[in-house]
Amino acid sequence: MSALSADTSLSMADTCQLLQAAASQIAPQWPLDQMIAVNPWWPKRSRPFAEIAAEQQLLAGTDCLMSARWYLSQWQTQIVPAQLEQALTEAELPLSTEQAAAGLEQQVVLRSWNSLTQLLAEQNSQHDTLPWPQLVLQQLSQFFALYYQYPERFSADAGSDDHAYHCWLTVVRQDKGLQVLASTNLNTLFSTLPDSPQTLIAHMLPWLDSWCPKPAQRQAYFENLLQSISGWAGWQAWLDWQQSLQGHSTHQAVCQLLYMLLGWDWVLWQHTKRHNNQHTGILATLQQQASSYDATLVHTQAALSLRQVWQRALELSVQQPLLRKLQQCCTQSAATLRPVLQAAFCIDVRSEPMRRALERQHDHIQTLGFAGFFGLPIAYQAPHSKVSRPQLPGLLAPVLQVQQIRPEQGTFSRQPGLGWKQSFDLASSSLGMVEAAGTTKLISLIKRAFLRPQARHALNKHIDSQPWQLSRDNQPLTDSEQAQLAAAILRAMGLKTQLAPVVLLFGHGSKSCNNPHAAGLDCGACGGQTGEVNVKVLAQILNNSAVRQLLADDHQIVVPTDTQFFAAMHHTTTDELEVYQPPRQADWLNWLTAAACDARQQRAGQFAQKNMSDKALVRFFRRRSTDWAQLRPEWGLANNAAFIVAPRQLTKALDLQGRCFLHDYDTQNDDDFSQLYSIMTAPMIVTNWINLQYYASVVAPQKYGSGNKLLHNVVAGHVGVFEGNGGDLRTGLAWQSVHDGSRLMHQPVRLSVIIAAPRQAITNIINRAPDVAALVNNHWLWLYQLDSDGSVHCWQQQHWQQVKL
């Protein structure tokens, strides 16, 4: 943020700048049909985790740590004295372990910023007894649900920068419910609000100057407002994120919400001055908490310091055993014979048990871990339709468009079927759609209840074996351009030499029924979709003889003539391995069947299903995937804890219990460390997002989780869910996704990143990549470096420190 005016009072320009700064602190939340895991503190990554934990406690009234009681429950079982001692030493706290345990038992009162609506609700005057925070939240939340579900009703002035604010004014000025609830006609006060939000801010400046005259105070006030409706703020931030991918770096959508919140505060302040003789006391309270903001933030951080130590000790209890295991495997040598089969999986933690199971089928099977979108910067366009969706991480914008080539005869639009399905999904129209469908829908409901057919995706069910066309800016990609793309992908995967006769490209996807958050169980690297499109497109490119010839001529990558690439899918709910267009007979098909059986046996313990035959387990998992009353079809990425960037031989002998993201990487194939740079600036950030979404959904489920699945109602078809029929838009993971009803299924630890590469190479990347530096320097994750001799170093205080294990 640039320097603000030096005057005693903040100018209009200063205030607008602070308003933009507050809007920039909201993390985006993707829609349900593209749901990906998001680090809810991503915009705050440039500041230390401990500082943000204190700020969130103050401005959002929520925790970023587990409770003191919970940490004590881990003492002497998960956390041992040596780990707590190390955490105390790192934090420079001169306490014994006994004192650290006793300190947790002391009650610590943490303060939160009281908004104007909260202060009004606490007043016991005869005029004001309304729950103003809930009333403001409900009004704004219902407006946004209406605004996005029926955009055609708000078509006037569509496209203007302040369209949402203008539409809100139109609605709130006519809301007769406010007149019934309040002791005065609030509609009259809303009618006095300026049509321009900039004029509104200008009117509010004297009031703001009277109690929050400093930049930090005013920005804190703005962010506190946004935190009061953080779900919808996250949706607005996603709209801004999409604009940023197109090169427009504004926060216009979030600012629209902030204007509405400011309008509410201005109206309530005028209402208070007219009808509440305690308005001077309220103003004094606002002044006091604003003036003490910096001091309160420091006090809160100090009050949380002991729990920060216990959190670090918990993370050490996970990191140290893993690092010891990796140390012991550093002498493993890589295989030199040509593999009989290679299988590339997504780095998703659910792939780790499957990779072990497949490798056990033959000594010369090689598995690889790579980002699940397989390096394809694509968007998938449904045939003969305007529907297009990204098939790559949310951090990136698609560059290429892919669609299947179909004969002209017999073509049809897929949009009507998709629209029909989406109409049933709308919370406000589903009952009406069922009534309109009559007995047709009754038959469907009976089939789903008793026969339990597999729920099929409205778009994916039309993907078949037809060839694919790749295009950029509506121009087909040439063979030369496809070869250039293929060369970059093969090098990144470490497959430019020693290719097996059979190379399987495994995407992954989940199967569940009646699950609004189904996309959250699919591939995050594919933008909350299955990897089916990506693996089919890549297999076609790599099997193209013209592309192979250009790979050899222009890129010095020779694909053996007997090598064939197959697109395949790992169905994570059922642990079934499906190969698209497989040969009629091949020994390796039996290996896939046996590996799937092995993986299911490993996973059965998560569901207390032991000593079951494979047939029984297949039925068990398939029933979970088709049961529309099932709250936990699978555990997704729960309990993720580490991201290992290393050759596969380093982890091949280890049972990592499905807790590690595994990205294959060998420094011998990366002379300039460009591959390492790509890994640390993309997959490492994606895994941080996944890890902290699960972490946040556990430590603060009321704020960063989506609540109880039983109470979910879908909002505007795809925007998100309400818990019940109102309140804020819920984000993050449902409680059933991290808790089995009796215990947590996700251990709340920050991600440990372990990289087998030279320290100087990693340091250079940290210095070159601001996002990476922010994450590792501010303890949003823990970075470890592993040498070939087994020595381990940890990145602490912006330099390497050797770790003694």
Side-chain angles (χ1 to χ4, degrees):
M1 187 168 62
S2 60
L4 297 173
S5 299
D7 299 337
T8 303
S9 60
L10 296 172
S11 68
M12 176 70 175
D14 293 337
T15 300
C16 289
Q17 189 176 357
L18 291 167
L19 191 144
Q20 286 274 341
S24 72
Q25 296 301 294
I26 302 299
Q29 298 296 330
W30 266 250
L32 293 176
D33 59 346
Q34 300 175 36
M35 183 182 176
I36 63 172
V38 177
N39 170 3
W41 305 295
W42 174 248
K44 302 177 181 296
R45 62 194 178 278
S46 61
R47 293 160 59 201
F49 174 80
E51 182 181 321
I52 297 305
E55 182 186 82
Q56 290 296 100
Q57 182 69 53
L58 186 57
L59 296 183
T62 192
D63 226 328
C64 297
L65 299 164
M66 296 297 283
S67 68
R69 178 179 297 180
W70 188 86
Y71 287 121
L72 286 173
S73 72
Q74 306 298 301
W75 182 229
Q76 302 289 3
T77 54
Q78 177 70 32
I79 301 171
V80 299
Q83 292 152 358
L84 184 56
E85 287 174 1
Q86 181 175 336
L88 287 165
T89 301
E90 288 182 7
E92 299 180 349
L93 283 181
L95 299 175
S96 66
T97 56
E98 292 78 10
Q99 290 171 323
L104 273 188
E105 296 175 348
Q106 298 176 2
Q107 295 294 324
V108 178
V109 178
L110 299 173
R111 295 170 56 188
S112 296
W113 183 294
N114 286 314
S115 65
L116 175 61
T117 55
Q118 290 169 322
L119 293 174
L120 287 175
E122 291 172 1
Q123 295 298 319
N124 294 318
S125 74
Q126 59 181 349
H127 299 291
D128 263 328
T129 57
L130 288 173
W132 288 111
Q134 292 85 344
L135 179 62
V136 174
L137 172 62
Q138 188 72 359
Q139 191 278 320
L140 286 172
S141 192
Q142 293 298 323
F143 163 73
F144 275 111
L146 185 70
Y147 181 76
Y148 289 112
Q149 187 160 317
Y150 300 107
E152 67 279 359
R153 298 186 182 183
F154 302 98
S155 57
D157 298 323
S160 67
D161 288 344
D162 299 323
H163 182 256
Y165 173 79
H166 294 152
C167 293
W168 169 74
L169 275 182
T170 302
V171 170
V172 76
R173 286 168 176 171
Q174 302 176 52
D175 191 340
K176 301 304 180 185
L178 298 179
Q179 184 176 355
V180 173
L181 289 171
S183 56
T184 187
N185 189 350
L186 286 182
N187 302 101
T188 302
L189 291 173
F190 277 111
S191 68
T192 66
L193 286 181
D195 290 338
S196 165
Q198 287 72 30
T199 306
L200 169 65
I201 295 169
H203 286 345
M204 295 183 70
L205 280 179
W207 179 65
L208 294 173
D209 288 339
S210 70
W211 68 273
C212 58
K214 295 183 178 179
Q217 299 167 1
R218 195 162 297 183
Q219 183 172 332
Y221 164 59
F222 292 152
E223 188 169 346
N224 173 251
L225 287 177
L226 289 170
Q227 289 292 346
S228 70
I229 186 168
S230 57
W232 281 110
W235 168 255
Q236 296 292 96
W238 178 78
L239 297 176
D240 287 329
W241 184 278
Q242 302 312 300
Q243 290 297 308
S244 72
L245 292 177
Q246 305 304 319
H248 309 296
S249 57
T250 65
H251 303 283
Q252 185 62 32
V254 178
C255 287
Q256 293 293 294
L257 170 57
L258 189 46
Y259 296 147
M260 300 173 201
L261 289 161
L262 289 168
W264 258 109
D265 263 19
W266 185 240
V267 163
L268 288 178
W269 181 244
Q270 305 307 314
H271 169 69
T272 302
K273 289 198 298 184
R274 294 183 186 182
H275 300 282
N276 191 331
N277 57 14
Q278 297 184 10
H279 69 277
T280 56
I282 292 174
L283 183 60
T285 302
L286 290 172
Q287 290 171 334
Q288 189 278 327
Q289 69 179 6
S291 64
S292 63
Y293 173 71
D294 290 336
T296 305
L297 193 60
V298 171
H299 169 77
T300 304
Q301 187 170 340
L304 292 173
S305 61
L306 194 54
R307 276 200 283 158
Q308 292 280 4
V309 165
W310 280 85
Q311 177 64 35
R312 174 60 176 146
L314 174 69
E315 289 157 350
L316 287 169
S317 75
V318 175
Q319 293 164 357
Q320 290 177 349
L322 174 60
L323 291 169
R324 291 190 192 101
K325 290 179 181 178
L326 291 172
Q327 269 189 330
Q328 295 168 3
C329 296
C330 281
T331 57
Q332 300 289 334
S333 59
T336 56
L337 296 176
R338 186 188 186 193
V340 296
L341 179 144
Q342 289 167 318
F345 287 84
C346 181
I347 61 175
D348 188 292
V349 295
R350 291 167 291 185
S351 298
E352 187 269 327
M354 182 62 77
R355 290 178 64 180
R356 278 188 285 114
L358 182 56
E359 288 165 345
R360 277 195 287 268
Q361 307 310 312
H362 194 285
D363 290 340
H364 299 300
I365 290 177
Q366 179 187 4
T367 71
L368 305 101
F370 192 64
F373 76 115
F374 285 94
L376 291 172
I378 61 175
Y380 164 61
Q381 184 167 356
H384 311 289
S385 169
K386 295 180 180 179
V387 176
S388 178
R389 72 176 187 212
Q391 292 277 157
L392 76 171
L395 291 162
L396 308 173
V399 176
L400 307 176
Q401 201 83 11
V402 299
Q403 62 183 123
Q404 289 193 284
I405 303 170
R406 297 182 181 277
E408 289 298 322
Q409 186 175 4
T411 61
F412 60 96
S413 172
R414 299 287 161 62
Q415 284 184 288
L418 178 61
W420 179 256
K421 181 187 182 301
Q422 286 183 331
S423 296
F424 277 111
D425 290 341
L426 295 179
S428 61
S429 63
S430 56
L431 293 178
M433 289 295 295
V434 171
E435 184 176 352
T439 55
T440 302
K441 187 60 182 175
L442 177 61
I443 294 171
S444 172
L445 292 173
I446 292 174
K447 286 173 62 179
R448 290 175 66 183
F450 295 100
L451 299 180
R452 295 189 178 183
Q454 182 66 55
R456 303 187 68 191
H457 193 283
L459 285 180
N460 292 350
K461 68 181 181 181
H462 297 296
I463 300 172
D464 54 26
S465 59
Q466 295 293 328
W468 294 85
Q469 177 173 290
L470 292 85
S471 60
R472 179 189 284 116
D473 300 327
N474 297 319
Q475 297 297 317
L477 230 60
T478 65
D479 288 341
S480 178
E481 291 172 321
Q482 292 185 49
Q484 185 176 3
L485 180 63
I489 292 171
L490 290 174
R491 288 194 179 100
M493 294 175 66
L495 283 177
K496 62 180 182 179
T497 58
Q498 199 79 329
L499 283 160
V502 176
V503 182
L504 301 176
L505 305 172
F506 276 102
H508 68 91
S510 177
K511 292 181 179 179
S512 57
C513 186
N514 190 33
N515 181 8
H517 291 101
L521 294 173
D522 284 331
C523 183
C526 295
Q529 312 299 327
T530 74
E532 180 178 0
V533 171
N534 298 67
V535 293
K536 286 185 173 181
V537 170
L538 184 56
Q540 175 181 296
I541 293 173
L542 295 174
N543 286 326
N544 185 323
S545 58
V547 170
R548 289 191 180 193
Q549 187 62 52
L550 289 166
L551 279 172
D553 295 342
D554 298 343
H555 303 280
Q556 293 72 54
I557 297 176
V558 178
V559 179
T561 55
D562 66 338
T563 294
Q564 186 170 5
F565 294 85
F566 291 90
M569 180 66 65
H570 173 199
H571 298 289
T572 55
T573 314
T574 58
D575 266 328
E576 294 175 286
L577 299 178
E578 177 184 5
V579 179
Y580 301 110
Q581 296 182 280
R584 290 186 178 180
Q585 289 184 339
D587 290 340
W588 56 266
L589 291 174
N590 297 326
W591 298 340
L592 299 186
T593 302
C597 173
D598 190 341
R600 279 189 291 271
Q601 291 290 345
Q602 293 181 63
R603 200 158 62 95
Q606 293 182 343
F607 301 91
Q609 303 294 317
K610 297 181 179 179
N611 302 319
M612 293 178 64
S613 67
D614 186 56
K615 287 185 177 180
L617 277 178
V618 169
R619 289 193 300 270
F620 173 77
F621 285 122
R622 284 181 179 174
R623 285 179 66 85
R624 298 185 76 85
S625 71
T626 58
D627 184 354
W628 63 352
Q630 179 54 249
L631 299 177
R632 301 176 178 92
E634 63 160 282
W635 285 111
L637 295 97
N639 225 21
N640 68 82
F643 176 38
I644 302 175
V645 182
R648 175 54 175 161
Q649 65 263 25
L650 191 66
T651 57
K652 189 173 182 179
L654 301 179
D655 180 354
L656 299 173
Q657 300 176 328
R659 301 196 66 184
C660 296
F661 302 94
L662 298 180
H663 199 302
D664 278 57
Y665 173 74
D666 193 334
T667 56
Q668 296 180 2
N669 300 324
D670 189 23
D671 295 337
D672 60 356
F673 299 106
S674 58
Q675 292 177 29
L676 183 61
Y677 179 87
S678 297
I679 293 170
M680 291 182 65
T681 55
M684 191 177 90
I685 291 176
V686 171
T687 55
N688 165 263
W689 280 30
I690 294 168
N691 170 262
L692 286 181
Q693 185 192 57
Y694 275 83
Y695 176 95
S697 297
V698 169
V699 299
Q702 296 81 11
K703 180 71 172 179
Y704 301 117
S706 60
N708 188 344
K709 281 186 178 182
L710 288 170
L711 304 178
H712 282 173
N713 279 307
V714 177
V715 180
H718 69 289
V719 169
V721 296
F722 285 152
E723 188 179 18
N725 63 354
D728 196 6
L729 197 70
R730 297 305 302 264
T731 59
L733 300 165
W735 188 238
Q736 288 91 344
S737 295
V738 295
H739 198 279
D740 71 354
S742 60
R743 64 189 177 99
L744 283 172
M745 294 297 288
H746 179 76
Q747 188 179 44
V749 294
R750 283 167 289 180
L751 190 71
S752 302
V753 177
I754 304 164
I755 302 178
R759 287 190 295 283
Q760 189 58 51
I762 299 173
T763 303
N764 292 342
I765 293 170
I766 293 172
N767 293 334
R768 288 171 55 198
D771 285 343
V772 173
L775 293 178
V776 301
N777 291 334
N778 295 308
H779 294 158
W780 294 102
L781 52 77
W782 300 100
L783 179 62
Y784 290 90
Q785 180 267 345
L786 183 63
D787 272 327
S788 57
D789 62 0
S791 61
V792 178
H793 290 77
C794 180
W795 183 262
Q796 288 274 44
Q797 299 177 345
Q798 301 191 32
H799 67 275
W800 295 106
Q801 297 180 5
Q802 187 161 4
V803 177
K804 296 180 180 180
L805 297 170

Short mmCIF file of all heavy atoms in Angstrom, two decimals, residues 120 128 207 266-280:
data_model
loop_
_atom_site.label_atom_id
_atom_site.label_comp_id
_atom_site.label_asym_id
_atom_site.label_seq_id
_atom_site.Cartn_x
_atom_site.Cartn_y
_atom_site.Cartn_z
N LEU A 120 -24.93 -2.06 19.39
CA LEU A 120 -26.36 -1.74 19.45
C LEU A 120 -27.17 -2.89 20.04
O LEU A 120 -28.09 -2.69 20.82
CB LEU A 120 -26.89 -1.40 18.05
CG LEU A 120 -26.46 -0.06 17.46
CD1 LEU A 120 -26.97 0.07 16.04
CD2 LEU A 120 -26.98 1.09 18.32
N ASP A 128 -34.22 -0.07 21.51
CA ASP A 128 -33.46 -0.99 20.67
C ASP A 128 -33.18 -2.29 21.40
O ASP A 128 -32.36 -2.33 22.30
CB ASP A 128 -32.12 -0.36 20.26
CG ASP A 128 -32.20 0.26 18.89
OD1 ASP A 128 -32.96 -0.25 18.06
OD2 ASP A 128 -31.49 1.26 18.67
N TRP A 207 -17.72 11.22 10.54
CA TRP A 207 -18.00 10.23 11.58
C TRP A 207 -16.80 9.30 11.76
O TRP A 207 -16.39 8.99 12.89
CB TRP A 207 -19.25 9.43 11.20
CG TRP A 207 -19.63 8.37 12.19
CD1 TRP A 207 -20.03 8.56 13.47
CD2 TRP A 207 -19.64 6.96 11.96
NE1 TRP A 207 -20.30 7.35 14.07
CE2 TRP A 207 -20.07 6.35 13.16
CE3 TRP A 207 -19.36 6.14 10.87
CZ2 TRP A 207 -20.21 4.96 13.29
CZ3 TRP A 207 -19.50 4.77 11.00
CH2 TRP A 207 -19.91 4.19 12.20
N TRP A 266 -24.13 3.30 8.42
CA TRP A 266 -24.50 4.72 8.39
C TRP A 266 -25.98 4.89 8.77
O TRP A 266 -26.33 5.78 9.55
CB TRP A 266 -24.22 5.29 7.01
CG TRP A 266 -24.45 6.77 6.89
CD1 TRP A 266 -25.31 7.41 6.06
CD2 TRP A 266 -23.79 7.79 7.64
NE1 TRP A 266 -25.25 8.75 6.23
CE2 TRP A 266 -24.30 9.03 7.20
CE3 TRP A 266 -22.81 7.78 8.63
CZ2 TRP A 266 -23.89 10.25 7.72
CZ3 TRP A 266 -22.40 8.99 9.16
CH2 TRP A 266 -22.93 10.21 8.71
N VAL A 267 -26.82 4.03 8.23
CA VAL A 267 -28.25 4.09 8.56
C VAL A 267 -28.47 3.82 10.04
O VAL A 267 -29.24 4.51 10.73
CB VAL A 267 -29.04 3.10 7.68
CG1 VAL A 267 -30.43 2.83 8.27
CG2 VAL A 267 -29.17 3.63 6.26
N LEU A 268 -27.81 2.80 10.57
CA LEU A 268 -28.00 2.46 11.99
C LEU A 268 -27.46 3.56 12.91
O LEU A 268 -28.00 3.79 14.00
CB LEU A 268 -27.33 1.12 12.31
CG LEU A 268 -28.03 -0.10 11.72
CD1 LEU A 268 -27.26 -1.37 12.06
CD2 LEU A 268 -29.47 -0.22 12.22
N TRP A 269 -26.39 4.23 12.47
CA TRP A 269 -25.88 5.33 13.29
C TRP A 269 -26.88 6.49 13.32
O TRP A 269 -27.12 7.08 14.38
CB TRP A 269 -24.52 5.78 12.77
CG TRP A 269 -23.92 6.90 13.58
CD1 TRP A 269 -23.66 8.17 13.17
CD2 TRP A 269 -23.56 6.84 14.95
NE1 TRP A 269 -23.14 8.91 14.20
CE2 TRP A 269 -23.06 8.11 15.31
CE3 TRP A 269 -23.59 5.83 15.92
CZ2 TRP A 269 -22.61 8.42 16.59
CZ3 TRP A 269 -23.14 6.13 17.21
CH2 TRP A 269 -22.66 7.40 17.53
N GLN A 270 -27.48 6.79 12.16
CA GLN A 270 -28.51 7.85 12.15
C GLN A 270 -29.71 7.43 12.99
O GLN A 270 -30.28 8.24 13.75
CB GLN A 270 -28.96 8.12 10.71
CG GLN A 270 -27.85 8.47 9.73
CD GLN A 270 -26.99 9.62 10.21
OE1 GLN A 270 -27.49 10.65 10.68
NE2 GLN A 270 -25.68 9.44 10.11
N HIS A 271 -30.07 6.17 12.89
CA HIS A 271 -31.19 5.64 13.68
C HIS A 271 -30.87 5.73 15.18
O HIS A 271 -31.72 6.10 15.99
CB HIS A 271 -31.43 4.19 13.27
CG HIS A 271 -32.35 3.42 14.18
ND1 HIS A 271 -33.70 3.69 14.27
CD2 HIS A 271 -32.11 2.40 15.03
CE1 HIS A 271 -34.26 2.86 15.14
NE2 HIS A 271 -33.31 2.07 15.61
N THR A 272 -29.62 5.43 15.54
CA THR A 272 -29.22 5.46 16.95
C THR A 272 -29.25 6.88 17.50
O THR A 272 -29.72 7.11 18.63
CB THR A 272 -27.80 4.87 17.09
OG1 THR A 272 -27.79 3.54 16.58
CG2 THR A 272 -27.36 4.85 18.55
N LYS A 273 -28.78 7.82 16.73
CA LYS A 273 -28.77 9.21 17.19
C LYS A 273 -30.19 9.72 17.43
O LYS A 273 -30.41 10.55 18.31
CB LYS A 273 -28.04 10.09 16.18
CG LYS A 273 -26.53 9.86 16.15
CD LYS A 273 -25.80 11.02 15.50
CE LYS A 273 -26.22 11.20 14.05
NZ LYS A 273 -25.44 12.29 13.39
N ARG A 274 -31.14 9.21 16.64
CA ARG A 274 -32.52 9.68 16.79
C ARG A 274 -33.25 9.00 17.93
O ARG A 274 -34.11 9.60 18.57
CB ARG A 274 -33.29 9.43 15.49
CG ARG A 274 -32.83 10.23 14.30
CD ARG A 274 -33.71 9.95 13.09
NE ARG A 274 -33.21 10.62 11.89
CZ ARG A 274 -33.81 10.56 10.70
NH1 ARG A 274 -34.94 9.87 10.58
NH2 ARG A 274 -33.30 11.18 9.66
N HIS A 275 -32.96 7.75 18.20
CA HIS A 275 -33.81 6.95 19.09
C HIS A 275 -33.07 6.32 20.26
O HIS A 275 -33.67 5.57 21.02
CB HIS A 275 -34.48 5.83 18.28
CG HIS A 275 -35.35 6.34 17.18
ND1 HIS A 275 -36.61 6.84 17.39
CD2 HIS A 275 -35.12 6.44 15.84
CE1 HIS A 275 -37.13 7.22 16.23
NE2 HIS A 275 -36.25 6.99 15.27
N ASN A 276 -31.78 6.59 20.42
CA ASN A 276 -31.04 5.96 21.51
C ASN A 276 -30.18 7.01 22.18
O ASN A 276 -29.21 7.51 21.61
CB ASN A 276 -30.16 4.81 20.96
CG ASN A 276 -29.57 3.96 22.06
OD1 ASN A 276 -29.34 4.44 23.16
ND2 ASN A 276 -29.33 2.69 21.74
N ASN A 277 -30.53 7.35 23.42
CA ASN A 277 -29.78 8.40 24.11
C ASN A 277 -28.40 7.95 24.57
O ASN A 277 -27.68 8.70 25.21
CB ASN A 277 -30.58 8.93 25.31
CG ASN A 277 -30.96 7.81 26.29
OD1 ASN A 277 -30.41 6.71 26.22
ND2 ASN A 277 -31.90 8.10 27.19
N GLN A 278 -28.07 6.69 24.26
CA GLN A 278 -26.74 6.18 24.64
C GLN A 278 -25.77 6.20 23.46
O GLN A 278 -24.72 5.56 23.50
CB GLN A 278 -26.86 4.75 25.18
CG GLN A 278 -27.70 4.66 26.45
CD GLN A 278 -27.71 3.24 27.02
OE1 GLN A 278 -26.97 2.40 26.58
NE2 GLN A 278 -28.57 3.02 28.00
N HIS A 279 -26.11 6.95 22.41
CA HIS A 279 -25.23 6.93 21.24
C HIS A 279 -23.86 7.51 21.53
O HIS A 279 -22.87 7.11 20.93
CB HIS A 279 -25.89 7.66 20.07
CG HIS A 279 -26.01 9.14 20.26
ND1 HIS A 279 -27.04 9.72 20.96
CD2 HIS A 279 -25.21 10.16 19.85
CE1 HIS A 279 -26.89 11.04 20.96
NE2 HIS A 279 -25.79 11.34 20.30
N THR A 280 -23.79 8.46 22.49
CA THR A 280 -22.46 9.00 22.84
C THR A 280 -21.60 7.94 23.51
O THR A 280 -20.38 7.90 23.31
CB THR A 280 -22.61 10.21 23.76
OG1 THR A 280 -23.38 9.85 24.91
CG2 THR A 280 -23.32 11.36 23.03
#
